[in-house]
């Protein structure tokens, strides 16, 4: 919840900056989007097993404001509500609920174009991972980054369509305990994951509103 509130506060801050810069004709873009996120796994320490994140829909919003003719600052918030499956098929209670919230900031470069503009985007920030099983839950926040490329379709000055493919990298600590383990004699979130980065891929479609 705190992580989502931070995303909302960040967006409000951008709009406040836009209002102050209105006399300079600063272009602001708000893009609510629907997406589908693929991949991602957490290796279990000292074991040949992992928790594999189930591909699922995601959603969020992107706020951009122009810096120069072809460059923009960008704030991204994206949320995925999914499950993680334990790779050992013999394990009991092997499916966990997982919520992944991403909040990042960075920039976008748009290539020249009239009705269609290709672009590249790069952002860095944080990824909050919350896992739960039954009444037990645990969470942690990690540094992360993303790189995307896409097209903006601009039928007029006020509305547009944003189509994008984006790759995420979340840098985890090798001694992080976030995944829940449940069973007859235990119900705790204390499985230690190993590794340095969790990679995911997201396809995005959003409606662009310009102010």
């Amino acid at each position: 919840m705190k992580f989502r509130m931070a995303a909302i506060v960040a967006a409000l801050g951008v709009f406040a900056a836009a209002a102050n810069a209105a006399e300079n004709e600063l272009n602001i873009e708000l893009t609510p989007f629907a997406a589908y996120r693929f991949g991602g796994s957490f290796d279990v320490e000292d074991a040949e097993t992992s928790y594999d994140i189930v591909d699922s829909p995601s959603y969020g919003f992107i706020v951009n404001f122009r810096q120069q003719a072809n460059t923009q600052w960008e704030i991204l918030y994206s949320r995925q509500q999914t499950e993680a499956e334990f790779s050992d098929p013999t394990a009991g209670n092997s499916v966990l609920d997982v919520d992944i919230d991403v909040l990042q900031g960075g920039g976008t470069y748009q290539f020249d174009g009239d009705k269609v503009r290709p672009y590249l985007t790069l952002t860095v920030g944080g990824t909050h991972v919350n896992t739960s099983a039954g009444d037990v839950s645990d969470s942690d926040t990690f540094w992360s980054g993303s790189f995307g490329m896409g097209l903006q379709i601009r039928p007029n000055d006020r509305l547009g369509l944003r189509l994008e493919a984006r790759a995420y990298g979340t840098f985890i600590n090798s001694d992080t305990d976030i995944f829940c383990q449940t069973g007859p004699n235990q119900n705790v979130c204390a499985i230690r994951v190993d590794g340095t980065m969790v990679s995911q891929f997201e396809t995005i479609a959003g409606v662009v509103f310009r102010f």
Side-chain angles (χ1 to χ4, degrees):
M1 181 62 71
K2 292 181 179 179
F3 199 84
R4 294 196 292 275
M5 287 299 297
I8 295 172
V9 170
L12 291 176
V14 171
F15 283 116
N20 292 334
E23 294 181 358
N24 297 326
E25 297 183 353
L26 182 67
N27 291 337
I28 304 298
E29 295 180 352
L30 171 63
T31 308
F33 66 81
Y36 199 86
R37 199 180 298 178
F38 305 86
S41 64
F42 293 83
D43 295 330
V44 176
E45 188 178 55
D46 299 327
E48 296 182 359
T49 54
S50 64
Y51 277 99
D52 301 319
I53 300 171
V54 177
D55 301 343
S56 70
S58 54
Y59 61 90
F61 63 84
I62 301 170
V63 182
N64 296 92
F65 56 102
R66 188 173 66 175
Q67 182 193 32
Q68 296 179 353
N70 291 81
T71 58
Q72 298 174 310
W73 296 111
E74 175 167 296
I75 291 178
L76 163 76
Y77 171 73
S78 180
R79 177 171 174 79
Q80 181 188 24
Q81 296 173 286
T82 184
E83 295 178 335
E85 296 179 341
F86 196 47
S87 61
D88 183 358
T90 63
N93 301 311
S94 59
V95 178
L96 308 174
D97 294 325
V98 179
D99 295 333
I100 301 174
D101 294 277
V102 179
L103 177 61
Q104 297 177 346
T108 298
Y109 180 82
Q110 292 187 345
F111 297 92
D112 293 333
D114 185 14
K115 298 298 183 182
V116 178
R117 291 187 182 181
Y119 65 88
L120 300 174
T121 179
L122 180 67
T123 58
V124 294
T127 296
H128 183 76
V129 181
N130 183 83
T131 66
S132 60
D135 297 329
V136 180
S137 65
D138 199 5
S139 64
D140 207 341
T141 302
F142 310 97
W143 290 104
S144 65
S146 70
F147 173 78
M149 60 182 65
L151 296 173
Q152 269 211 30
I153 302 171
R154 306 163 64 99
N156 59 56
D157 292 338
R158 291 292 182 180
L159 294 175
L161 180 65
R162 179 168 177 155
L163 303 176
E164 181 180 307
R166 186 182 290 256
Y168 294 91
T170 300
F171 302 94
I172 63 172
N173 303 321
S174 60
D175 59 349
T176 297
D177 298 334
I178 55 173
F179 281 94
C180 305
Q181 178 174 296
T182 60
N185 300 317
Q186 56 184 346
N187 191 27
V188 295
C189 295
I191 291 181
R192 179 161 292 184
V193 298
D194 189 17
T196 56
M197 187 173 73
V198 175
S199 300
Q200 291 186 286
F201 180 78
E202 190 170 57
T203 55
I204 294 171
V207 179
V208 182
F209 299 93
R210 298 186 186 87
F211 304 91

